[in-house]
Amino acid sequence: MEQRIGSSSSKPLEGAGFDPAFIPGLTAPATSREEEAEDTKDAPGTDEDVAVDGTATEAVTEAEETGADEPEPAPDGPAFEASDRRAALVADHRGVRLKLDDQECEFRWDEIGAVETETARFGKRFTVTVHTPDRRWYPIEIEADSRRRFAEWDAALDKVLDAYFDDGAEAAADKDDAEDEVEAETADRV
């Protein structure tokens, strides 16, 4: 009879190899470690038998009283929000956040390669696609109440992108200026 030496419990893989619905950037489902922690919470002898230091409890209550979990104040910059019954899109100083049903993903401005907007020829769907530098894209469709909203949403999103998104336009402009100077110097020599 063969027996396995070592741990008798093997842990399943996480990610696309384990979950076919796994998409990087979206919130992951509960891992086995979290499930085990919930199971051991109710186990006898875990909370009652352990002596708790009073200083740890005081630190937790002080953090709650000072409001350490309060959200940071938003700067005075533009922000864009659009949503329908299933999808939501928020673009502000922190980056772009997409939400569809119970799935969410968040991109900081330095993680974004491009943001593309598209409107349906027929219908009332406004599509925003976030492209990352590693050639991945994340589209989201938001249903508008009327087609007139497309122009408003596009203008508001452009303001946010102009304020926060650094697409390398300054570097390209500097490169063009340098090329113009070289051409001017070459023309002067001839």
Side-chain angles (χ1 to χ4, degrees), residues 1-9:
M1 177 165 112
E2 292 183 31
Q3 285 187 329
R4 180 173 269 199
I5 299 174
S7 176
S8 63
S9 64

Side-chain angles (χ1 to χ4, degrees), residues 78-89:
F80 172 73
E81 289 188 39
S83 63
D84 64 5
R85 58 184 167 73
R86 292 186 61 203
L89 166 73

Side-chain angles (χ1 to χ4, degrees), residues 12-185:
L13 298 174
E14 295 177 4
F18 176 68
D19 183 10
F22 178 78
I23 299 173
L26 296 178
T27 56
T31 62
S32 59
R33 290 184 212 124
E34 293 171 357
E35 293 170 357
E36 289 174 6
E38 290 176 6
D39 292 340
T40 57
K41 248 191 236 180
D42 299 330
T46 55
D47 292 336
E48 295 89 22
D49 297 342
V50 177
V52 177
D53 187 15
T55 58
T57 314
E58 291 172 11
V60 170
T61 55
E62 287 176 14
E64 290 174 358
E65 290 173 4
T66 58
D69 293 334
E70 291 180 13
E72 62 186 43
D76 294 334
F80 172 73
E81 289 188 39
S83 63
D84 64 5
R85 58 184 167 73
R86 292 186 61 203
L89 166 73
V90 178
D92 57 9
H93 68 284
R94 291 176 30 202
V96 177
R97 290 176 298 286
L98 307 175
K99 181 178 179 184
L100 180 64
D101 295 331
D102 63 341
Q103 301 295 315
E104 295 182 32
C105 60
E106 181 172 350
F107 303 96
R108 295 184 319 266
W109 289 112
D110 60 342
E111 296 176 324
I112 298 174
V115 177
E116 176 184 13
T117 61
E118 184 179 349
T119 58
R121 184 171 178 190
F122 302 107
K124 298 185 258 182
R125 295 208 179 260
F126 183 72
T127 304
V128 177
T129 305
V130 177
H131 296 271
T132 60
D134 59 348
R135 296 186 178 187
R136 293 184 184 259
W137 61 93
Y138 301 89
I140 190 163
E141 290 184 340
I142 301 173
E143 190 170 336
D145 52 358
S146 72
R147 291 186 59 86
R148 284 180 269 162
R149 299 280 295 190
F150 293 161
E152 295 172 20
W153 284 352
D154 210 16
L157 185 58
D158 280 343
K159 285 181 184 177
V160 173
L161 293 174
D162 289 342
Y164 300 116
F165 183 61
D166 179 28
D167 60 355
E170 295 89 17
D174 292 341
K175 182 180 176 184
D176 290 340
D177 291 341
E179 289 175 359
D180 291 341
E181 289 176 12
V182 169
E183 288 176 10
E185 289 176 8

